[in-house]
C-alpha cells in the first residue's frame, strides 16, 4: 500500500471533470484498495470554493454542487490538522514566495515523509527544491 499528500488542485478533479480527472479517479479508486491520501484540514474548503465558483461563474447547478460536496465528504481521506505545521509553512512560504495554503501541503508532506501529488507548478517546484518526492499524476493512468 502507498500513501501520498494530495493537493486540492488534484482532488477537485475527482468531482469536476478536467484534464486529469481519469488519473484522479484511478488514484481515488486505489484509496479504496488500501492506499492512503493525506490532506490538510482545509483541503475540502478549497475544493468547496472551486465548486462555488463553478456555480457562480460556470453555470454548475446548485443541486449538483451539493451532491459533489456530499461525495467529497464521504471520501476516506486522512485529514490532518495544520496547527503544528504553521511555523514550517511560514518559512516555506517566505523562502519560495508561495502562499501559506500551498506551503502547508509541502509542510505536511515533509512532516509525514510522503510524496506530494499536485498540479500546481509553483508548489511542485518549491517542494522539489526542499527535496521532497513529487509523485506525477500520470503514474495513475490505470489500476
Amino acid at each position: 500500500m502507498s500513501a501520498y499528500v494530495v493537493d486540492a488542485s488534484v482532488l477537485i478533479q475527482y468531482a469536476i471533470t478536467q484534464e486529469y480527472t481519469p488519473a484522479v479517479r484511478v488514484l481515488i479508486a486505489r484509496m479504496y484498495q488500501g492506499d492512503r491520501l493525506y490532506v490538510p484540514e482545509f483541503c475540502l474548503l478549497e475544493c468547496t470554493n472551486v465548486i462555488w465558483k463553478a456555480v457562480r461563474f460556470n453555470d454548475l447547478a446548485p443541486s449538483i454542487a451539493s451532491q459533489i460536496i456530499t461525495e467529497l465528504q464521504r471520501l476516506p481521506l486522512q485529514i490532518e490538522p495544520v496547527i503544528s505545521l504553521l511555523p514550517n509553512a511560514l518559512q516555506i512560504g517566505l523562502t519560495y514566495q508561495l502562499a501559506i495554503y500551498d506551503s502547508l501541503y509541502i509542510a505536511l508532506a515533509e512532516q509525514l515523509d510522503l510524496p506530494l501529488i499536485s498540479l500546481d507548478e509553483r508548489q511542485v517546484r518549491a517542494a522539489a527544491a526542499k527535496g521532497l518526492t513529487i509523485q506525477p499524476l500520470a503514474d495513475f493512468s490505470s489500476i
Side-chain angles (χ1 to χ4, degrees):
M1 302 308 149
S2 300
Y4 310 95
V5 171
V6 179
D7 180 71
S9 66
V10 172
L11 187 58
I12 193 60
Q13 292 202 32
Y14 174 72
I16 295 179
T17 303
Q18 297 176 27
E19 179 180 356
Y20 295 99
T21 295
V24 173
R25 292 204 171 143
V26 169
L27 180 63
I28 296 296
R30 287 179 51 154
M31 185 173 50
Y32 286 101
Q33 297 172 350
D35 283 6
R36 292 183 163 242
L37 301 182
Y38 289 84
V39 296
E41 61 191 333
F42 62 86
C43 181
L44 292 179
L45 173 67
E46 283 189 293
C47 290
T48 302
N49 194 61
V50 172
I51 293 163
W52 171 83
K53 285 180 180 179
V55 170
R56 181 99 162 92
F57 303 112
N58 297 330
D59 297 322
L60 180 66
S63 60
I64 300 298
S66 293
Q67 291 173 5
I68 291 169
I69 298 300
T70 299
E71 189 169 347
L72 286 173
Q73 288 176 305
R74 289 182 180 151
L75 292 175
L77 299 165
Q78 306 299 308
I79 299 174
E80 297 293 317
V82 298
I83 194 153
S84 67
L85 302 172
L86 293 174
N88 190 22
L90 177 61
Q91 290 306 312
I92 293 166
L94 292 172
T95 301
Y96 299 101
Q97 297 156 8
L98 201 61
I100 296 303
Y101 295 106
D102 295 332
S103 299
L104 280 161
Y105 288 96
I106 296 170
L108 180 60
E110 188 172 48
Q111 177 179 288
L112 298 175
D113 193 26
L114 293 176
L116 174 67
I117 303 174
S118 176
L119 295 170
D120 182 321
E121 287 301 319
R122 290 186 67 223
Q123 184 185 54
V124 166
R125 282 193 304 272
K130 282 205 54 81
L132 294 175
T133 300
I134 307 302
Q135 185 70 44
L137 194 51
D139 290 356
F140 300 96
S141 59
S142 64
I143 296 180

